[in-house]
Each structure stands twice: as C-alpha cells, then as structure tokens.
Amino acid sequence: SKLDIKVGMNGDFRGRGFGLPDLDKTLTGLGSVEVKGGKLTGGDMVAKVAQFIDRPELKEFAFEGFKQPFKIVDGKVLNEPVTVPANPLGFKIGGYTSILGELHQTVTIKSGDTKSKKLKEILGEEAPIPLTIGGTLAKPSLVPPSKDELASLAKGNLVDKGGELLKGLLEKKSQGEGAAPTEAESDDLKKAGERLLKGLLGGEDK
C-alpha cells in the first residue's frame, strides 16, 4: 500500500539516552497529530478491506482532515479511538504503536458500510466491526475479524435486541397491556436466536 498524507505534530516529550532502545524505556509525552488530508492506495491492506466489505471496486481511501491526540508511556504511543472522515467510508481508529514500530491498532467500521447482506441482516446497519492492524510501521498487516469473532458480535446483537424486546414486554405488562414472558418463553427466544445465528453464519444446528 502507498500512504500519501500531509501531517502536522505538536507535543511535549521527555526522555533519556540515545537511539530507540533507550527511548523505548524512558520516553514520555503528550501531543497530537493533525492529518490535513491524504490517501491510502492499493496494496494488501486495501484489498483485504475491499474483500471483507464485499466492495471489490475499492482501490483507495481518501482522508479528510482530523486530529489524533496521543500519549507516550511505557514504550507505547497510545491513541484513543477517533473518527476518521474518509471516502468511500469513514472509520474509527485507536490502539497503540510501540516506540520500536510495532502496530497494535484497531480500525472500526459500521456494518451498514459493507455490501454484505448477511452481515447487515444479523448485525443491523450501525453495529461496529473491528479490524486489527498489526505488523510494523514498515510492513503493516490487516486482519479482518474471524468467523467466530463475527459470531460473537452477532450473538451480542441478538442479546441486545432480545433485551430490548423483553424490556418492552415488561413495560407493557406494568401498564396492563399484556403478559410478561415467562422464563421458559425467554429461554425459547434465546435458543431461537442462536439457531438463527448459526444458520446465517453457516454453522450447524445441533
């Protein structure tokens, strides 16, 4: 991948020694990076994102301006998640990068920004989907969530929806508008959701 960006940085840093091994142990500081625009073109990272979100036509990300605060401690440059306005889809990024250049970042996109009908059906339009960026600054790598991780996200989404449904039924009961679900009915709802989840993700219903 080719990254072409315009950035500005300011901060207050303190450390002792010479070279990265010394700074890795002693450097501390606070600051921010201001990205004034740029783009990420081609390469393995863009290809993996394009494949995961079912958008094979995607060849580059164009960034708009954003500011990324960071803190340096214990050999890590920590960056809280921030929203990155980009075309064709925005995302959040947060995590840390070691002073020695190792990447431990998470990019989060919305399920609604994918073209996967299956993902949208089980996660809805607003569910956050994490993609891990590892490797090094010189050779970054992107790892989409595994099938098991997607299943966990989907299960959490079903639980949330089930909780909202049960809350609504209980509120109606308190207002005399209907009967609250029994424990057995709640358990049936959970099992039905799990069967639906396995079917949508291609698992076996045992």
Side-chain angles (χ1 to χ4, degrees), residues 96-164:
Y96 73 90
T97 301
S98 75
I99 298 297
L100 300 179
E102 297 172 345
L103 295 169
H104 301 268
Q105 300 286 339
T106 299
V107 170
T108 306
I109 63 174
K110 285 184 180 180
S111 53
D113 288 330
T114 77
K115 287 190 175 181
S116 170
K117 292 182 180 180
K118 182 180 292 186
L119 284 176
K120 290 180 182 180
E121 186 172 358
I122 61 177
L123 296 179
E125 294 284 337
E126 300 296 323
I129 302 178
L131 295 84
T132 301
I133 297 180
T136 65
L137 288 169
K139 193 175 181 179
S141 62
L142 184 140
V143 181
S146 67
K147 187 175 180 179
D148 287 343
E149 290 169 331
L150 284 176
S152 179
L153 286 172
K155 186 174 182 179
N157 187 58
L158 286 172
V159 169
D160 289 343
K161 288 184 177 180
E164 291 172 1

Side-chain angles (χ1 to χ4, degrees), residues 39-120:
K39 61 183 179 180
L40 177 66
T41 307
D44 184 60
M45 289 184 63
V46 174
K48 284 186 176 180
V49 173
Q51 179 181 13
F52 177 71
I53 66 175
D54 197 18
R55 300 182 66 164
E57 77 281 1
L58 181 61
K59 302 299 181 185
E60 71 174 31
F61 286 93
F63 306 107
E64 300 177 17
F66 69 95
K67 182 176 288 188
Q68 173 68 76
F70 64 84
K71 176 172 66 174
I72 302 175
V73 63
D74 295 330
K76 301 174 182 177
V77 182
L78 308 171
N79 52 296
E80 293 294 325
V82 297
T83 298
V84 178
N87 184 35
L89 72 156
F91 56 90
K92 286 187 176 182
I93 185 169
Y96 73 90
T97 301
S98 75
I99 298 297
L100 300 179
E102 297 172 345
L103 295 169
H104 301 268
Q105 300 286 339
T106 299
V107 170
T108 306
I109 63 174
K110 285 184 180 180
S111 53
D113 288 330
T114 77
K115 287 190 175 181
S116 170
K117 292 182 180 180
K118 182 180 292 186
L119 284 176
K120 290 180 182 180

